[in-house]
Amino acid sequence: KTVMTIVGARPQFVKAAPVSRELRKTCREVLVHTGQHYDYSMAGVFFEELRIPKPDYDLGIGSSSHGRQTGEMLISLEALLLENVPDAVLVYGDTNSTLAGALAASKLRIPLFHVEAGLRSYNRDMPEEINRVMTDHVSALLFAPTAEAVSNLRAERATEGVYEVGDVMYDAVLFNERLAVAKHRPEDFRVPAGGYYLATIHRPSNTDDPVRLRAILRALRSLDQPVLFPLHPRTGKMLKAMGDSAERTPGDNLLFTEPLSYLEMLALERQAKAIITDSGGVQKEAYFAKVPCFTLRSETEWVETVACGWNTLVDPLTMDLGRIIGDYRPGAYIENLYGDGTASLQIAELIHQYLQ
Ligand code: UD1
């Protein structure tokens, strides 16, 4: 049996790596990279480090408006599906590549499997929220990472083919963390172990409003330790447009770097004093690393991290990040909040059963 996997953006490479490893034990996998992320630092390095097989197809569809990007992917994916006739299509997460894969497969009546199903922010201003809802409702197998995700699906009357398997990003961390720590040290990035903050910001809601982005930079510059800030290309472009130099000026505690590789990121997350982010995946990785997380958003899909006191939602416009971090006391750490590290194995088994 053949499964066509469609990935395109950085977090999807991380999620696909452990699943692909298991899937290839029982199925033939055809790997398609849409090209949504194309810089070496956003794509190539992840394939190398995570030892993801070379894509069978690289569609080379880069950045453009949502409609154009998704539409171009849809055209190419439909042609590929008609040519390859896979038994099923596998998509991950909530990006435009996910939505394009979901639409192309479901219109051709090819069974669709969705990893990270059922996540909701209940904020339709996020393009990802639209992508998730649409994808879930045309999927035959919905692999939910949490009980909350299952209950979100139930509330939308999506109950068939739903399995709570845990989070594949946890599988990826377990597989890679020792190598990451052995390979990379904070000192290599000019920050002292345990004495720095790690920040990532890339959501359009934070980057595309200069007032908000400036407030975030001000908050980071007010902190008591160096802040290592790997720049997503979108954020880098906005900073440049705003005239904020990515060069370090004397006395500046903000250290901009290129986007980090997966192993660099895992190692640096582990030794940070706290993590400040608007990424979905990084909120969970902070939890896995037992490092407090401060999320610069008004809501999160990963509600468990907030409920147990390891993740705090902060509005940089109205709240004092420095004070919130200073006053922070961690909650009790709950093991296995996101499964037991066998999500990928369970997914591969469920796919195998489905295709029998
Ligand atoms: C996408 C996903 C988001 C995910 C994020 C991870 C959607 C709607 N959003 O957002 O869910 O969390 O990826 O990073 O699919 N760019 C480069 N080089 C690259 C990739 C992008 O310069 O390799 C630039 C583009 O020119 C564009 C910007 O980054 O200006 C945004 O890229 P895009 O793919 O549209 O979405 P992301 O913001 O990365």
Side-chain angles (χ1 to χ4, degrees), residues 36-39 63 94-96 128 202 232-234 237:
Q36 176 169 353
H37 286 172
Y38 42 91
D39 290 344
S63 319
D94 56 16
T95 73
N96 290 341
E128 293 84 352
H202 77 275
H232 186 285
R234 168 197 292 286
K237 277 176 204 164

Side-chain angles (χ1 to χ4, degrees), residues 7-8 14 25 38 50 88 112 120 125 129 153 160 166 185 196 213 302 307 320 338:
V7 291
V14 176
K25 292 178 185 165
Y38 42 91
L50 290 153
L112 178 73
R120 296 291 181 268
D125 287 334
E129 182 76 355
L153 290 169
E160 256 185 63
R185 296 173 324 133
Y196 64 94
L213 188 52
W302 305 104
D320 181 344
Y338 290 104

Side-chain angles (χ1 to χ4, degrees), residues 302-315:
W302 305 104
V303 290
E304 307 78 14
T305 55
V306 176
C308 71
W310 281 76
N311 189 7
T312 310
L313 299 177
V314 181
D315 178 354

Side-chain angles (χ1 to χ4, degrees), residues 140-207:
L141 290 181
L142 298 95
F143 301 116
T146 59
E148 179 81 15
V150 174
S151 96
N152 291 338
L153 290 169
R154 201 177 302 127
E156 293 172 20
R157 296 173 188 274
T159 49
E160 256 185 63
V162 176
Y163 296 92
E164 185 189 338
V165 291
D167 190 345
V168 293
M169 283 189 74
Y170 184 44
D171 303 10
V173 166
L174 292 180
F175 194 83
N176 290 290
E177 62 188 345
R178 279 176 54 201
L179 176 63
V181 171
K183 229 174 145 180
H184 301 291
R185 296 173 324 133
E187 290 79 6
D188 303 336
F189 296 84
R190 297 177 296 152
V191 286
Y196 64 94
Y197 299 105
L198 181 65
T200 78
I201 297 294
H202 77 275
R203 295 250 161 255
S205 56
N206 279 329
T207 58

Side-chain angles (χ1 to χ4, degrees), residues 186-318:
E187 290 79 6
D188 303 336
F189 296 84
R190 297 177 296 152
V191 286
Y196 64 94
Y197 299 105
L198 181 65
T200 78
I201 297 294
H202 77 275
R203 295 250 161 255
S205 56
N206 279 329
T207 58
D208 295 6
D209 172 1
V211 175
R212 206 172 161 85
L213 188 52
R214 267 185 226 288
I216 292 172
L217 294 182
R218 218 176 308 120
L220 295 177
R221 287 192 162 109
S222 77
L223 299 181
D224 57 340
Q225 308 260 344
V227 180
L228 189 66
F229 191 157
L231 276 175
H232 186 285
R234 168 197 292 286
T235 318
K237 277 176 204 164
M238 295 310 290
L239 288 183
K240 216 169 182 183
M242 274 168 36
D244 195 296
S245 164
E247 297 292 315
R248 196 177 188 199
T249 51
D252 194 349
N253 70 326
L254 204 47
L255 278 127
F256 294 108
T257 71
E258 294 294 304
L260 297 178
S261 76
Y262 181 64
L263 295 179
E264 288 171 340
M265 192 68 189
L266 280 192
L268 284 160
E269 283 168 347
R270 237 135 251 279
Q271 307 217 39
K273 195 174 158 192
I275 293 173
I276 300 145
T277 191
D278 63 5
S279 152
V282 175
Q283 293 173 52
K284 285 178 293 170
E285 286 172 355
Y287 188 77
F288 300 144
K290 301 192 175 144
V291 169
C293 186
F294 298 87
T295 298
L296 304 188
R297 283 179 50 190
S298 46
E299 74 285 304
T300 178
E301 303 77 35
W302 305 104
V303 290
E304 307 78 14
T305 55
V306 176
C308 71
W310 281 76
N311 189 7
T312 310
L313 299 177
V314 181
D315 178 354
L317 282 179
T318 59

